[in-house]
Each structure stands twice: as structure tokens, then as C-alpha cells.
Amino acid sequence: MDTQGVRWTADQVLALAPDDASRRAGSKLGTAGPWSGAGSSDEGAVWGLCRGSGGKPYRTVVDTTGPAYRCSCPSRKFPCKHALGLLLLWASDGTAVGGDEVPDWAASWLEARRERAAARSGDGGDGATAAPADPEAARRRAERRAARITAGAEELEQRLADLLCGGLASAERSGYALWEETAARMVDAQAPGLAGRVRELGSIPGSGPGWPVRLLEECALTHLLDRAWLGVDRLPGPLATTVRARVGLTPTAQGPTVRDHWLVLAQYDAADSRLTTRRVWLQGRESGRTALLLSFGAAGRAPQLSLPVGSVLDAAVTLHAGAGALRAEWAEQFSAPAPLDAPPPGGTVTDALTAYGNALREDPWLDSWPATLTDVVPIPTEYGWQLADARPAGRGDLAGASGGQVGGEAVPLSAPALARPGLWRLAALSGGRPVTVFGECGHRGFTPLAAWSPEAPGETVPLH
């Protein structure tokens, strides 16, 4: 093993990039040319000075056990291009970023991080505790917000009733402005979940053939959520928690804390004009449990939580309550990331569809469910690309891209997946041969997020 700890691969480093521009800029800085004073330690620290446009070089330090980043550049992205370039250099060139004494400017930041971690865990703190919140005031705030959400749900019910009475064709004529006005009223009612569903409804009219059917389906699901909220006190506990989360009440991590060797399967961002949301998928090696970490950043800023895709972390996460219980909060990490040596266990296409169907019984508003498909082949058909189970050749089987035979069940790729370069990366990785693919399986199809080939089972290929 490397004396400086387990080094990441270039793909793991680039998977941390907040966007494509950072990925390209970081790649240009992944050589020894712009760096001086670079070094690394057994404790997982990597540091260096990067020559910039100014007179002073940028001071960059990374704690790979987090990971966490610190750079003196003015960028608001986490990690910035300098941190990415430093990690790429560390991953590819052991001599350029070898062992050395930690400089004072990096040591002070690393020490402060350790002190904060000790304080959070109760070690080395001064024993002080925050003043307890006023439970009565919290109860009154919760009641006032619930009343506003109820008023918003009743108004939305009237909006849906007017739409159905006037006919779905009227939705195309009225345009998007009326939907945005309704969504703004849901925001005023402190129901961002309902606001998001309204905006989705507004985007459907005129979106292509069959839009009235899609609009009616989404109206039915929105109506179901409205009625569920209005009767939330009569619902079973887990379903009530799910309904509250769907309307926009952020759930708390009240479930158990699970320590495991967590496989970091995928990480990607989704942004709108207000918020950047980062989704990180984990799978416990011992528990077999799948967990979803969410982190958020203001518009134009990447969330700070970032984990190396394709690594294994000895860590603990605290699960949320509610149907499915996929969401979790990062609790504590106990060791530096280790490389993944094999793909996650998976199943067939039928297994993935069955798991999604079972999850829908607990959460009818669920768009997708995580799934790992083992031994599938991406194939182009007249209806678009699909992932098909591989099996011995037989009657009715389809020919793969390299002439091999695939058969059994198949699932179409989702429209977003078809528009991304990850599709061609997946096709090139497979070459008509079976691969393992992790992604999100739902009513819109399968969205691949990572893949592994039999030739390199420990190398994770990000697809988002």
C-alpha cells in the first residue's frame, strides 16, 4: 500500500467536481507544472501552492478523510479547480506529491478541523451545551405553518377542480403564468413540495404527444397528496411522515444510526434558479442497506458535502423516518476512504421493477428507486436504448452491439439519460458484453449513474 495512504483514481477525483466547467479547469491543473511545495501525509492531508494570475500562489489543502477543502482563491465552488487539480496530481504522481512536513498554513486548518470534529463527538470539548429550544414556541410555530399549508392545499384543490371542469385543453391555452402564480402561492403557504408539483404540472401542457394523459396522471397524484395532507392525522405513522416530507416539511433524522462500510456509488447535482441539490448514493457492505445523502447550496454555489465515488468509507449515517427510509444524514467517519474492490451486489431487471413497485405501495409519489442491475447489456432499439438482461442465446433473443445475445426482461433508459454523454460511456464500457449498472429505476425508465465491467471490477465509471 502507498505509504501516504490509499490514493484515489482520476475518475474518483473528477466525480467530486461541482460542474463540467470545474472538471475541465481542474484537469488542466492536474500536472506538476503549476504546483510547488506539494505534499501529503499519512493522515490523509494533501497540500500545495498553485501558481495563479496574481503575484501570490493559491494555498490549497485537502483533507481526504472528509473530504474537505480549503483554498485561498476567491472561487465559491466546493471543491474549486485548484483542489481538483491538486487531487488529480496526487492521484497520478506519487513523486510530485510525496511525504513532507505539513506547512503551518495547512496545519492550522487541519488542526481546527480536528478540534471541531472532537467537539461534535463530545471529545475535547468544554462541556458547554446549547440552550434548549422552547418546546411551546416550537409547537406554536409548527401549528401556524401547518395551518398555512392546509390553506394552500385547499386552494390547490380548487385549482385542480377548475382545470378538470374546464377541460384539460384549457391548460395549453392558459400558458405557464397561471401555474407559476399558483406555485408562488404554495411557496407563500410554506409548502415547497406542493409548489414543485405545481411547476411540474405547468411544464406538461404542450410538451409533446400524449401530454393530456401525463397531465391527468400528475393531477391525480397531486390531488392524492392534497387529500393525504388534509387527513394526515389519520394516517399510519410512516405514511404520515412521508406525506409531510412530500409537501415540504423537512423530516428529522430520527431513525437509527447505522455504522457500516459504505460504498459510495454515485454523486450528482441538480440545480434550479434557487438551489443546488446534491444527491449521494451509498450502500452498506454488511447491512445491504441503501442510503441517500442530500446536501444543498444556494443558487450558484455547490453543496459542501462531497464524497469520492467508487470508494468505501467506514462511517455512520443516521436514517430518517418515513416510508422507505432511504434518506440519511452523514454522522461520523472513522477512517480514510479505501478503494472499491468489486461492484455492489445486484439483480435482474425484474428484481429492480419489483422493488420499485413495492416501494410505490409505501410512497405513491415516488419517481424512482435505487437499483443495481447485474449482467445487463445496453442495446439500441427502434424505441430507444434499453438495458436488457443477458442470458444464453435462444429464440427471440436480441443481438448486442458486438454480436452477443441478450434476452429476458429489458427496461428503457429515461429521457434525461439519453441526452447525456454517460450513455455513450456506458455503451463503450460494455461493447456488447454484460456489465453491472447502478442507477434509479422509475416510471420514466432507468437512469444509469455508475457502471462496472468484469475486466475491471474495482473501477467505478460515473455516468451522470
Side-chain angles (χ1 to χ4, degrees):
M1 180 179 292
D2 192 313
T3 59
Q4 304 305 321
V6 177
R7 293 181 187 267
W8 302 345
T9 66
D11 281 341
Q12 288 175 327
V13 174
L14 293 175
L16 300 172
D19 51 41
D20 288 337
S22 298
R23 191 175 292 112
R24 291 191 296 270
S27 297
K28 295 178 181 178
L29 295 175
T31 61
W35 293 96
S36 62
S40 58
S41 73
D42 291 335
E43 289 74 31
V46 186
W47 61 86
L49 302 173
C50 186
R51 184 175 64 249
S53 56
K56 293 183 178 181
Y58 295 121
R59 295 176 170 181
T60 308
V61 56
V62 179
D63 181 357
T64 62
T65 65
Y69 321 92
R70 172 67 174 163
C71 186
S72 60
C73 76
S75 174
R76 301 173 66 189
K77 297 180 180 181
F78 295 95
C80 67
K81 64 181 181 180
H82 304 102
L84 290 169
L86 177 61
L87 287 174
L88 286 171
L89 180 62
W90 170 69
S92 63
D93 191 342
T95 59
V97 191
D100 203 351
E101 184 177 351
V102 184
D104 292 340
W105 57 267
S108 60
W109 178 76
L110 293 166
E111 184 178 353
R113 271 186 52 78
R114 296 189 197 102
E115 290 175 353
R116 289 194 296 271
R120 285 194 297 269
S121 64
D123 299 327
D126 58 8
T129 57
D134 182 351
E136 181 60 25
R139 184 188 63 81
R140 289 195 297 269
R141 287 194 298 271
E143 288 180 348
R144 289 195 294 270
R145 183 175 183 185
R148 285 192 287 268
I149 295 175
T150 297
E154 290 173 343
E155 180 178 344
L156 182 54
E157 280 292 274
Q158 185 59 53
R159 172 78 177 91
L160 295 175
D162 292 344
L163 172 65
L164 294 179
C165 289
L168 294 180
S170 63
E172 190 173 24
R173 293 193 300 269
S174 60
Y176 185 76
L178 185 58
W179 292 106
E180 183 57 37
E181 179 184 344
T182 304
R185 296 179 71 85
M186 295 303 104
V187 172
D188 293 340
Q190 293 185 285
L194 292 179
R197 298 200 72 86
V198 170
R199 291 191 176 98
E200 185 172 352
L201 289 173
S203 67
I204 296 176
S207 60
W211 71 260
V213 174
R214 295 194 296 275
L215 180 60
L216 184 60
E217 291 172 347
E218 292 301 323
C219 283
L221 286 172
T222 304
H223 168 70
L224 181 64
L225 182 57
D226 280 340
R227 301 312 303 176
W229 169 259
L230 296 175
V232 69
D233 293 337
R234 299 189 298 273
L235 298 178
L239 182 57
T241 300
T242 298
V243 170
R244 292 187 179 98
R246 288 296 181 185
V247 300
L249 291 174
T250 304
T252 57
Q254 296 177 333
T257 296
V258 180
R259 179 175 178 177
D260 206 334
H261 288 87
W262 293 98
L263 284 59
V264 185
L265 300 181
Q267 174 178 292
Y268 66 93
D269 293 352
D272 57 27
S273 59
R274 302 168 181 82
L275 197 68
T276 299
T277 302
R278 174 164 295 165
R279 300 167 69 88
V280 182
W281 284 109
L282 308 175
Q283 186 175 88
R285 175 165 283 172
E286 284 78 31
S287 67
R289 181 187 291 274
T290 302
L292 173 64
L293 305 179
L294 295 182
S295 60
F296 305 93
R301 298 196 63 175
Q304 294 204 23
L305 177 64
S306 187
L307 300 178
V309 174
S311 64
V312 182
L313 304 174
D314 180 7
V317 301
T318 302
L319 303 176
H320 283 227
L326 281 178
R327 185 160 174 201
E329 300 291 339
W330 191 248
E332 186 176 359
Q333 185 172 327
F334 302 100
S335 67
L340 183 66
D341 55 5
T348 65
V349 169
T350 298
D351 294 333
L353 296 175
T354 300
Y356 174 57
N358 291 336
L360 278 176
R361 292 186 301 185
E362 304 294 333
D363 183 355
W365 306 279
L366 190 66
D367 285 330
S368 61
W369 190 254
T372 300
L373 304 179
T374 301
D375 290 337
V376 291
V377 181
I379 55 173
T381 72
E382 60 179 313
Y383 307 107
W385 282 82
Q386 298 180 347
L387 287 175
D389 287 324
R391 69 177 186 186
R395 181 178 298 176
D397 289 345
L398 298 171
S402 67
Q405 298 296 318
V406 296
E409 297 294 332
V411 60
L413 297 189
S414 64
L418 296 174
R420 298 190 189 114
L423 168 61
W424 306 110
R425 198 176 303 137
L426 175 61
L429 179 71
S430 166
R433 299 180 300 274
V435 292
T436 298
V437 182
F438 170 79
E440 297 170 353
C441 182
H443 61 92
R444 295 184 178 93
F446 192 93
T447 303
L449 300 176
W452 299 263
S453 69
E455 289 77 14
E459 182 179 344
T460 301
V461 179
L463 300 176
H464 196 278

